[in-house]
Amino acid sequence: MFALIQAAGWPIWPIILASVVAAGIIGERLWTLRLGVVTPRDLLPEVVHEYRKSGVSEDMLTRLQNHSPLGQIFAAGLRNDKSTREIMKESIEEAGRSVAHDLERYLTTLGTIASLSPLMGLFGTLVGMIEIFGANTSSTGSGNPAQLAHGISVALYNAAFGILVAIPSMIFYRHFRAKVDALVVEMELQALKLVEIIHGERRD
């Protein structure tokens, strides 16, 4: 592996740095955006049961706030359980926007890496081409074979590494964007159920 990096020359280092950052973001988002962590299936029945049993307490709101993103939305709505349906929905929507922003954390960076990696590879290709032309325009009139070979390796390796980083970065960026959208819709539906149950418009 080190031999490949050495053959690719110094332009490969920004691509390697981008790949490390992308891998870190992908791992963190895979862990954070798990369905059971963001929208636990049993949370709504538990909240409704506790609400009907003992109402809203500060301890209940604190537990929900620290439980999950869905719990944060429920906590925002339950703080206004004595208000009208419209006010309760507004508080839930405000909390939902904040939660959605947190779920999208680092995705812009991942998308930027997916877009820039081929350009960084292209930059390495240009550096390699410059070295090739430098080898062919030496003062002796004949090209330096070693410098020519190094320029070719720089050009090819950087282009390949740039594409290699861009492809998985773009795949996971699209995947996470779609997953966040699906999670936001699911949280909206569950929050709406909570509002309707509390205001007696729906049975649980």
Side-chain angles (χ1 to χ4, degrees), residues 18 47 57 62 64-65 70-71 104 106 114 118 133 159 165 187 191 198-199:
V47 169
S57 64
T62 301
L64 284 174
Q65 189 70 32
L70 180 60
E104 293 173 352
Y106 308 129
F133 283 114
V165 173
M187 288 188 292
I198 288 177
H199 284 273

Side-chain angles (χ1 to χ4, degrees), residues 106-118 120 169-170 173:
Y106 308 129
L107 293 189
T108 300
T109 302
L110 185 61
T112 302
I113 290 173
S115 301
L116 288 184
S117 293
M120 289 189 286
S169 297
M170 180 58 71
Y173 171 74

Side-chain angles (χ1 to χ4, degrees), residues 70-151:
L70 180 60
Q72 295 176 30
I73 294 176
F74 285 171
L78 290 171
R79 282 193 177 93
N80 298 278
D81 65 312
K82 302 301 182 184
S83 303
T84 63
R85 185 178 189 274
E86 288 69 25
I87 293 177
M88 191 175 179
K89 284 188 65 178
E90 286 178 8
S91 63
I92 285 175
E93 289 171 358
E94 290 173 2
R97 283 192 290 269
S98 176
V99 167
H101 182 267
D102 289 340
L103 294 179
E104 293 173 352
R105 185 179 300 169
Y106 308 129
L107 293 189
T108 300
T109 302
L110 185 61
T112 302
I113 290 173
S115 301
L116 288 184
S117 293
L119 296 179
M120 289 189 286
L122 177 60
F123 173 74
T125 301
L126 294 177
V127 171
M129 296 299 293
I130 291 171
E131 292 193 12
I132 292 172
F133 283 114
N136 288 329
T137 57
S138 60
S139 57
T140 60
S142 60
N144 184 336
Q147 189 175 358
L148 182 63
H150 180 67

